[in-house]
Amino acid sequence: VNALSTHAARSVAPAHIVGHPKLSDVAALAGVSIKTVSRVLNDAPNVSPDTARRVHESITLLGYRSNVIARELRGGGLSNLVGMVISDLGNPFYAGLAAGAEETISEAGLDLILATARDDGERERALINSLLERRVRGLMIVPSGSDYSYLHADRQRGFSFVFVDRPAPFLDADTVIADNEGGIRACVGWLQKQGCKRIALMADLESIWTAEQRIAGFWTAAAEAGYPRDALTVISGVHTAEEARERCTDLLMGEVDGIIAANDLIALGVGEAAQGREGIRIISFDDFPSASLLGVVTLNHDARELGRLAAETLLARFENPTYERYLTEVVPVSLRGGAS
Amino acid sequence: VNALSTHAARSVAPAHIVGHPKLSDVAALAGVSIKTVSRVLNDAPNVSPDTARRVHESITLLGYRSNVIARELRGGGLSNLVGMVISDLGNPFYAGLAAGAEETISEAGLDLILATARDDGERERALINSLLERRVRGLMIVPSGSDYSYLHADRQRGFSFVFVDRPAPFLDADTVIADNEGGIRACVGWLQKQGCKRIALMADLESIWTAEQRIAGFWTAAAEAGYPRDALTVISGVHTAEEARERCTDLLMGEVDGIIAANDLIALGVGEAAQGREGIRIISFDDFPSASLLGVVTLNHDARELGRLAAETLLARFENPTYERYLTEVVPVSLRGGAS
DNA sequence: ATGAAAGCGCTAACAC
DNA sequence: GTGTTAGCGCTTTCAT
């Protein structure tokens, strides 16, 4: 798919030109020069009230709409668009991320342009390039790719990137991630406190950084907690709620008495599969709406909040685009509802 | 909030200029004219292989990125951006709508720019105007406003709009909506078949068109089905799952034995409140992930599908922007899993 | 095979 | 208070 690539729009019918009136049309109708119209539009001083009125009349009469493309070009090239690349809007976690980011971005008077990479590194790269060509003001990315060195020059040049949820391999840039290891440690701790003897982690594709981190964290935390190796199970490569439910039956057959769901989708599947089963504890890394209903305990890992934080980090970076210290914010996560 | 309005970006720090190299920089380095570079970029004929190579080298050396803003301006003004205005990304229904639309739009080689109006008519109007000023190719709107006559001129001019989920008051334009009345009739029918004697509808704010439609449909369908007026309850103004849960306790106290949730959020709240209660049937207009788990039956009202359909309608409209017949597609909804 | 000039719609600098 | 000129980065005539 070459979506979003430079000339991608060719695949769609040629744009029938929409006849927007321009400054000169307004000027002609009002009997003034285009500069005067421009002044009126920008409430610049030195316009006689009478002229201003005439211009305004012509504007509404013609249905004139200022052309941001032209203004931005003239103004030096940077748009007030901010790009965001996520993997999938259908996933509540990423939708929440986008919602939080959009909120903060629009409060700052900027617009968000959203694209979904579907965990496809190739597609993601095309999307990012296209966004860059559109001269967006900055970019928030939930990386799906494996090498971001191609963005080095842009970053050096003062273009602002923030990577969210996962760091960018081979690129030093601002990053906002959750404390995956700490979160998993909290999960393990909670299960242990509940008296679980044999515990399992179910995680997404290991190619996804967060999954890999959480798996690694699980081994470490479980060992530290004193669980013997043969009391531990890890099931990975689970990408949908449906798959989670299916893979879960194996666990439930076994002697596992505690399960950690590494994300919301998995928690949904595991929660459903374990409905009505006694003596099995379930905890989810991500927070999600129907968790309590399913009897699933969660961490306070909130997508919307993460999105807001990412956007704030980007806005902060705008103030100092070429400052060479890139920061990685690690958002702590703990059991929802506070301590213990 | 004047987010997305013409000069909104002023609220953020002035853009430090990101020094993107331009065509002339590449040309200078390669020792050719800018026209030649342009030719290479557009794989135009009549460029000697040797020159092409030199140009390509310069491009990568400088990290040149073509400027879409400039190209679009030159090319006549229409971008390959498609705008979408929804009420809230945090609501799974709208997120699904956006996901479906994004999929279809990006398959057509266009990009989606997403904005959220938060059910605020004022904000929505500002967003739409801003998108229009950015010369997006077309616009998909889930309307929150009460009067769209201000878009009349743009539509006449050949600008493409598609309204989704709700029609646009005072504007004749392409529209994609669900069969709200038919859906509610199916809900009532199902409850009746289950033997429910006293049924209730819980709906969103009546100011929202879909809520109002579903309420009206409820009265009609229930009457047709032979329910006496005093066997019917309507609770409206319920905007979140939390509210739905709270308002539900009243119903559960009463003799109601069948509840229709007019949307997914309400279904979630009602479903939770009714957990473990015997002898009460619940059916939801919207389909949603954990429905079966909650013991909630749903219609096959799928947001993603609706989003795809909206995008397809827009793409079709692009082919014939000034064709004066605007169509309203009413998507039928029925009990999920087929008949009866 | 390559280049010079004009212009997309707008705004900034300087006239008047 | 108002108009003229130039130019943002690019593509499109039209020359050469």
PDB file of all heavy atoms in Angstrom, chain B residues 235-260:
ATOM      1  N   ILE B 235     -36.440   6.708  29.803  1.00  0.00           N
ATOM      2  CA  ILE B 235     -35.509   7.539  30.568  1.00  0.00           C
ATOM      3  C   ILE B 235     -34.532   8.124  29.565  1.00  0.00           C
ATOM      4  O   ILE B 235     -33.851   7.385  28.858  1.00  0.00           O
ATOM      5  CB  ILE B 235     -34.750   6.706  31.616  1.00  0.00           C
ATOM      6  CG1 ILE B 235     -35.743   6.146  32.639  1.00  0.00           C
ATOM      7  CG2 ILE B 235     -33.694   7.555  32.305  1.00  0.00           C
ATOM      8  CD1 ILE B 235     -35.075   5.362  33.742  1.00  0.00           C
ATOM      9  N   SER B 236     -34.461   9.439  29.493  1.00  0.00           N
ATOM     10  CA  SER B 236     -33.534  10.035  28.541  1.00  0.00           C
ATOM     11  C   SER B 236     -32.552  10.955  29.263  1.00  0.00           C
ATOM     12  O   SER B 236     -32.607  11.119  30.470  1.00  0.00           O
ATOM     13  CB  SER B 236     -34.308  10.816  27.480  1.00  0.00           C
ATOM     14  OG  SER B 236     -34.951  11.917  28.067  1.00  0.00           O
ATOM     15  N   GLY B 237     -31.660  11.536  28.495  1.00  0.00           N
ATOM     16  CA  GLY B 237     -30.668  12.428  29.097  1.00  0.00           C
ATOM     17  C   GLY B 237     -29.506  11.683  29.736  1.00  0.00           C
ATOM     18  O   GLY B 237     -28.741  12.246  30.508  1.00  0.00           O
ATOM     19  N   VAL B 238     -29.365  10.420  29.360  1.00  0.00           N
ATOM     20  CA  VAL B 238     -28.292   9.604  29.947  1.00  0.00           C
ATOM     21  C   VAL B 238     -27.093   9.624  29.004  1.00  0.00           C
ATOM     22  O   VAL B 238     -27.172   9.115  27.887  1.00  0.00           O
ATOM     23  CB  VAL B 238     -28.774   8.159  30.153  1.00  0.00           C
ATOM     24  CG1 VAL B 238     -27.683   7.328  30.792  1.00  0.00           C
ATOM     25  CG2 VAL B 238     -30.038   8.147  30.991  1.00  0.00           C
ATOM     26  N   HIS B 239     -25.995  10.197  29.458  1.00  0.00           N
ATOM     27  CA  HIS B 239     -24.900  10.460  28.530  1.00  0.00           C
ATOM     28  C   HIS B 239     -23.649   9.604  28.764  1.00  0.00           C
ATOM     29  O   HIS B 239     -22.760   9.552  27.941  1.00  0.00           O
ATOM     30  CB  HIS B 239     -24.547  11.944  28.584  1.00  0.00           C
ATOM     31  CG  HIS B 239     -23.752  12.423  27.411  1.00  0.00           C
ATOM     32  ND1 HIS B 239     -24.190  12.279  26.115  1.00  0.00           N
ATOM     33  CD2 HIS B 239     -22.542  13.023  27.334  1.00  0.00           C
ATOM     34  CE1 HIS B 239     -23.279  12.777  25.295  1.00  0.00           C
ATOM     35  NE2 HIS B 239     -22.274  13.226  26.011  1.00  0.00           N
ATOM     36  N   THR B 240     -23.561   8.951  29.919  1.00  0.00           N
ATOM     37  CA  THR B 240     -22.387   8.110  30.185  1.00  0.00           C
ATOM     38  C   THR B 240     -22.829   6.763  30.761  1.00  0.00           C
ATOM     39  O   THR B 240     -23.957   6.616  31.236  1.00  0.00           O
ATOM     40  CB  THR B 240     -21.450   8.770  31.214  1.00  0.00           C
ATOM     41  OG1 THR B 240     -22.142   8.867  32.473  1.00  0.00           O
ATOM     42  CG2 THR B 240     -21.028  10.165  30.781  1.00  0.00           C
ATOM     43  N   ALA B 241     -21.895   5.818  30.736  1.00  0.00           N
ATOM     44  CA  ALA B 241     -22.177   4.494  31.282  1.00  0.00           C
ATOM     45  C   ALA B 241     -22.484   4.612  32.776  1.00  0.00           C
ATOM     46  O   ALA B 241     -23.376   3.943  33.307  1.00  0.00           O
ATOM     47  CB  ALA B 241     -20.986   3.568  31.046  1.00  0.00           C
ATOM     48  N   GLU B 242     -21.762   5.478  33.427  1.00  0.00           N
ATOM     49  CA  GLU B 242     -21.941   5.696  34.865  1.00  0.00           C
ATOM     50  C   GLU B 242     -23.369   6.154  35.174  1.00  0.00           C
ATOM     51  O   GLU B 242     -24.062   5.590  36.033  1.00  0.00           O
ATOM     52  CB  GLU B 242     -20.929   6.757  35.331  1.00  0.00           C
ATOM     53  CG  GLU B 242     -20.813   6.911  36.817  1.00  0.00           C
ATOM     54  CD  GLU B 242     -20.556   5.566  37.491  1.00  0.00           C
ATOM     55  OE1 GLU B 242     -19.705   4.800  36.998  1.00  0.00           O
ATOM     56  OE2 GLU B 242     -21.224   5.297  38.491  1.00  0.00           O
ATOM     57  N   GLU B 243     -23.801   7.158  34.424  1.00  0.00           N
ATOM     58  CA  GLU B 243     -25.168   7.650  34.597  1.00  0.00           C
ATOM     59  C   GLU B 243     -26.186   6.552  34.336  1.00  0.00           C
ATOM     60  O   GLU B 243     -27.190   6.440  35.043  1.00  0.00           O
ATOM     61  CB  GLU B 243     -25.441   8.806  33.626  1.00  0.00           C
ATOM     62  CG  GLU B 243     -24.956  10.162  34.094  1.00  0.00           C
ATOM     63  CD  GLU B 243     -25.140  11.206  32.994  1.00  0.00           C
ATOM     64  OE1 GLU B 243     -26.241  11.291  32.422  1.00  0.00           O
ATOM     65  OE2 GLU B 243     -24.150  11.901  32.706  1.00  0.00           O
ATOM     66  N   ALA B 244     -25.911   5.768  33.312  1.00  0.00           N
ATOM     67  CA  ALA B 244     -26.838   4.694  32.963  1.00  0.00           C
ATOM     68  C   ALA B 244     -26.993   3.736  34.143  1.00  0.00           C
ATOM     69  O   ALA B 244     -28.097   3.334  34.494  1.00  0.00           O
ATOM     70  CB  ALA B 244     -26.336   3.950  31.734  1.00  0.00           C
ATOM     71  N   ARG B 245     -25.871   3.419  34.761  1.00  0.00           N
ATOM     72  CA  ARG B 245     -25.914   2.490  35.890  1.00  0.00           C
ATOM     73  C   ARG B 245     -26.757   3.056  37.021  1.00  0.00           C
ATOM     74  O   ARG B 245     -27.598   2.388  37.593  1.00  0.00           O
ATOM     75  CB  ARG B 245     -24.498   2.205  36.379  1.00  0.00           C
ATOM     76  CG  ARG B 245     -24.451   1.171  37.476  1.00  0.00           C
ATOM     77  CD  ARG B 245     -23.071   0.593  37.636  1.00  0.00           C
ATOM     78  NE  ARG B 245     -22.067   1.662  37.526  1.00  0.00           N
ATOM     79  CZ  ARG B 245     -20.801   1.452  37.205  1.00  0.00           C
ATOM     80  NH1 ARG B 245     -20.382   0.235  36.952  1.00  0.00           N
ATOM     81  NH2 ARG B 245     -19.951   2.450  37.123  1.00  0.00           N
ATOM     82  N   GLU B 246     -26.519   4.329  37.303  1.00  0.00           N
ATOM     83  CA  GLU B 246     -27.260   4.966  38.399  1.00  0.00           C
ATOM     84  C   GLU B 246     -28.761   5.019  38.120  1.00  0.00           C
ATOM     85  O   GLU B 246     -29.569   4.608  38.953  1.00  0.00           O
ATOM     86  CB  GLU B 246     -26.736   6.388  38.633  1.00  0.00           C
ATOM     87  CG  GLU B 246     -25.360   6.414  39.274  1.00  0.00           C
ATOM     88  CD  GLU B 246     -24.721   7.792  39.177  1.00  0.00           C
ATOM     89  OE1 GLU B 246     -25.443   8.740  38.795  1.00  0.00           O
ATOM     90  OE2 GLU B 246     -23.516   7.914  39.469  1.00  0.00           O
ATOM     91  N   ARG B 247     -29.078   5.524  36.930  1.00  0.00           N
ATOM     92  CA  ARG B 247     -30.495   5.674  36.595  1.00  0.00           C
ATOM     93  C   ARG B 247     -31.197   4.325  36.530  1.00  0.00           C
ATOM     94  O   ARG B 247     -32.419   4.243  36.584  1.00  0.00           O
ATOM     95  CB  ARG B 247     -30.645   6.383  35.245  1.00  0.00           C
ATOM     96  CG  ARG B 247     -29.995   7.760  35.171  1.00  0.00           C
ATOM     97  CD  ARG B 247     -30.737   8.762  36.041  1.00  0.00           C
ATOM     98  NE  ARG B 247     -32.109   8.936  35.626  1.00  0.00           N
ATOM     99  CZ  ARG B 247     -32.523   9.778  34.679  1.00  0.00           C
ATOM    100  NH1 ARG B 247     -31.654  10.539  34.065  1.00  0.00           N
ATOM    101  NH2 ARG B 247     -33.796   9.866  34.370  1.00  0.00           N
ATOM    102  N   CYS B 248     -30.435   3.300  36.383  1.00  0.00           N
ATOM    103  CA  CYS B 248     -30.976   1.968  36.195  1.00  0.00           C
ATOM    104  C   CYS B 248     -31.617   1.420  37.463  1.00  0.00           C
ATOM    105  O   CYS B 248     -32.571   0.658  37.401  1.00  0.00           O
ATOM    106  CB  CYS B 248     -29.847   1.044  35.755  1.00  0.00           C
ATOM    107  SG  CYS B 248     -30.414  -0.328  34.777  1.00  0.00           S
ATOM    108  N   THR B 249     -31.086   1.811  38.580  1.00  0.00           N
ATOM    109  CA  THR B 249     -31.587   1.247  39.839  1.00  0.00           C
ATOM    110  C   THR B 249     -33.078   1.522  39.994  1.00  0.00           C
ATOM    111  O   THR B 249     -33.814   0.671  40.485  1.00  0.00           O
ATOM    112  CB  THR B 249     -30.815   1.824  41.043  1.00  0.00           C
ATOM    113  OG1 THR B 249     -30.838   3.247  40.955  1.00  0.00           O
ATOM    114  CG2 THR B 249     -29.389   1.330  41.041  1.00  0.00           C
ATOM    115  N   ASP B 250     -33.524   2.684  39.552  1.00  0.00           N
ATOM    116  CA  ASP B 250     -34.957   3.001  39.596  1.00  0.00           C
ATOM    117  C   ASP B 250     -35.761   1.941  38.847  1.00  0.00           C
ATOM    118  O   ASP B 250     -36.746   1.410  39.337  1.00  0.00           O
ATOM    119  CB  ASP B 250     -35.247   4.355  38.945  1.00  0.00           C
ATOM    120  CG  ASP B 250     -34.411   5.461  39.574  1.00  0.00           C
ATOM    121  OD1 ASP B 250     -33.815   5.198  40.646  1.00  0.00           O
ATOM    122  OD2 ASP B 250     -34.356   6.556  39.002  1.00  0.00           O
ATOM    123  N   LEU B 251     -35.284   1.667  37.644  1.00  0.00           N
ATOM    124  CA  LEU B 251     -35.988   0.698  36.810  1.00  0.00           C
ATOM    125  C   LEU B 251     -36.034  -0.668  37.468  1.00  0.00           C
ATOM    126  O   LEU B 251     -37.052  -1.347  37.477  1.00  0.00           O
ATOM    127  CB  LEU B 251     -35.288   0.563  35.453  1.00  0.00           C
ATOM    128  CG  LEU B 251     -35.453   1.700  34.453  1.00  0.00           C
ATOM    129  CD1 LEU B 251     -34.730   1.353  33.181  1.00  0.00           C
ATOM    130  CD2 LEU B 251     -36.920   1.962  34.181  1.00  0.00           C
ATOM    131  N   LEU B 252     -34.899  -1.044  38.017  1.00  0.00           N
ATOM    132  CA  LEU B 252     -34.803  -2.381  38.584  1.00  0.00           C
ATOM    133  C   LEU B 252     -35.679  -2.506  39.820  1.00  0.00           C
ATOM    134  O   LEU B 252     -36.145  -3.585  40.158  1.00  0.00           O
ATOM    135  CB  LEU B 252     -33.348  -2.700  38.909  1.00  0.00           C
ATOM    136  CG  LEU B 252     -32.450  -2.746  37.667  1.00  0.00           C
ATOM    137  CD1 LEU B 252     -31.010  -2.925  38.065  1.00  0.00           C
ATOM    138  CD2 LEU B 252     -32.892  -3.871  36.749  1.00  0.00           C
ATOM    139  N   MET B 253     -35.886  -1.377  40.484  1.00  0.00           N
ATOM    140  CA  MET B 253     -36.779  -1.362  41.636  1.00  0.00           C
ATOM    141  C   MET B 253     -38.206  -1.634  41.178  1.00  0.00           C
ATOM    142  O   MET B 253     -38.982  -2.270  41.854  1.00  0.00           O
ATOM    143  CB  MET B 253     -36.735   0.007  42.334  1.00  0.00           C
ATOM    144  CG  MET B 253     -35.448   0.301  43.062  1.00  0.00           C
ATOM    145  SD  MET B 253     -35.124  -0.856  44.415  1.00  0.00           S
ATOM    146  CE  MET B 253     -33.750  -1.768  43.776  1.00  0.00           C
ATOM    147  N   GLY B 254     -38.533  -1.092  40.002  1.00  0.00           N
ATOM    148  CA  GLY B 254     -39.903  -1.215  39.502  1.00  0.00           C
ATOM    149  C   GLY B 254     -40.203  -2.597  38.945  1.00  0.00           C
ATOM    150  O   GLY B 254     -39.486  -3.564  39.217  1.00  0.00           O
ATOM    151  N   GLU B 255     -41.202  -2.655  38.174  1.00  0.00           N
ATOM    152  CA  GLU B 255     -41.625  -3.957  37.660  1.00  0.00           C
ATOM    153  C   GLU B 255     -41.186  -4.169  36.220  1.00  0.00           C
ATOM    154  O   GLU B 255     -41.688  -5.053  35.532  1.00  0.00           O
ATOM    155  CB  GLU B 255     -43.145  -4.063  37.755  1.00  0.00           C
ATOM    156  CG  GLU B 255     -43.636  -4.129  39.184  1.00  0.00           C
ATOM    157  CD  GLU B 255     -45.105  -3.735  39.285  1.00  0.00           C
ATOM    158  OE1 GLU B 255     -45.621  -3.174  38.292  1.00  0.00           O
ATOM    159  OE2 GLU B 255     -45.704  -3.989  40.324  1.00  0.00           O
ATOM    160  N   VAL B 256     -40.256  -3.338  35.778  1.00  0.00           N
ATOM    161  CA  VAL B 256     -39.775  -3.471  34.408  1.00  0.00           C
ATOM    162  C   VAL B 256     -39.085  -4.819  34.208  1.00  0.00           C
ATOM    163  O   VAL B 256     -38.278  -5.226  35.039  1.00  0.00           O
ATOM    164  CB  VAL B 256     -38.799  -2.316  34.086  1.00  0.00           C
ATOM    165  CG1 VAL B 256     -38.015  -2.617  32.831  1.00  0.00           C
ATOM    166  CG2 VAL B 256     -39.568  -1.018  33.952  1.00  0.00           C
ATOM    167  N   ASP B 257     -39.425  -5.498  33.126  1.00  0.00           N
ATOM    168  CA  ASP B 257     -38.768  -6.782  32.864  1.00  0.00           C
ATOM    169  C   ASP B 257     -38.048  -6.825  31.521  1.00  0.00           C
ATOM    170  O   ASP B 257     -37.555  -7.860  31.099  1.00  0.00           O
ATOM    171  CB  ASP B 257     -39.772  -7.936  32.979  1.00  0.00           C
ATOM    172  CG  ASP B 257     -40.983  -7.736  32.071  1.00  0.00           C
ATOM    173  OD1 ASP B 257     -40.981  -6.754  31.291  1.00  0.00           O
ATOM    174  OD2 ASP B 257     -41.918  -8.543  32.139  1.00  0.00           O
ATOM    175  N   GLY B 258     -38.000  -5.657  30.861  1.00  0.00           N
ATOM    176  CA  GLY B 258     -37.258  -5.601  29.613  1.00  0.00           C
ATOM    177  C   GLY B 258     -36.705  -4.202  29.402  1.00  0.00           C
ATOM    178  O   GLY B 258     -37.412  -3.214  29.577  1.00  0.00           O
ATOM    179  N   ILE B 259     -35.425  -4.094  29.072  1.00  0.00           N
ATOM    180  CA  ILE B 259     -34.816  -2.781  28.883  1.00  0.00           C
ATOM    181  C   ILE B 259     -34.113  -2.706  27.531  1.00  0.00           C
ATOM    182  O   ILE B 259     -33.380  -3.625  27.147  1.00  0.00           O
ATOM    183  CB  ILE B 259     -33.777  -2.477  29.987  1.00  0.00           C
ATOM    184  CG1 ILE B 259     -34.435  -2.564  31.372  1.00  0.00           C
ATOM    185  CG2 ILE B 259     -33.155  -1.096  29.782  1.00  0.00           C
ATOM    186  CD1 ILE B 259     -33.462  -2.313  32.517  1.00  0.00           C
ATOM    187  N   ILE B 260     -34.345  -1.591  26.828  1.00  0.00           N
ATOM    188  CA  ILE B 260     -33.612  -1.322  25.600  1.00  0.00           C
ATOM    189  C   ILE B 260     -32.598  -0.223  25.886  1.00  0.00           C
ATOM    190  O   ILE B 260     -32.963   0.858  26.348  1.00  0.00           O
ATOM    191  CB  ILE B 260     -34.544  -0.847  24.466  1.00  0.00           C
ATOM    192  CG1 ILE B 260     -35.623  -1.896  24.182  1.00  0.00           C
ATOM    193  CG2 ILE B 260     -33.747  -0.546  23.202  1.00  0.00           C
ATOM    194  CD1 ILE B 260     -36.691  -1.410  23.210  1.00  0.00           C
TER     195      ILE B 260
END
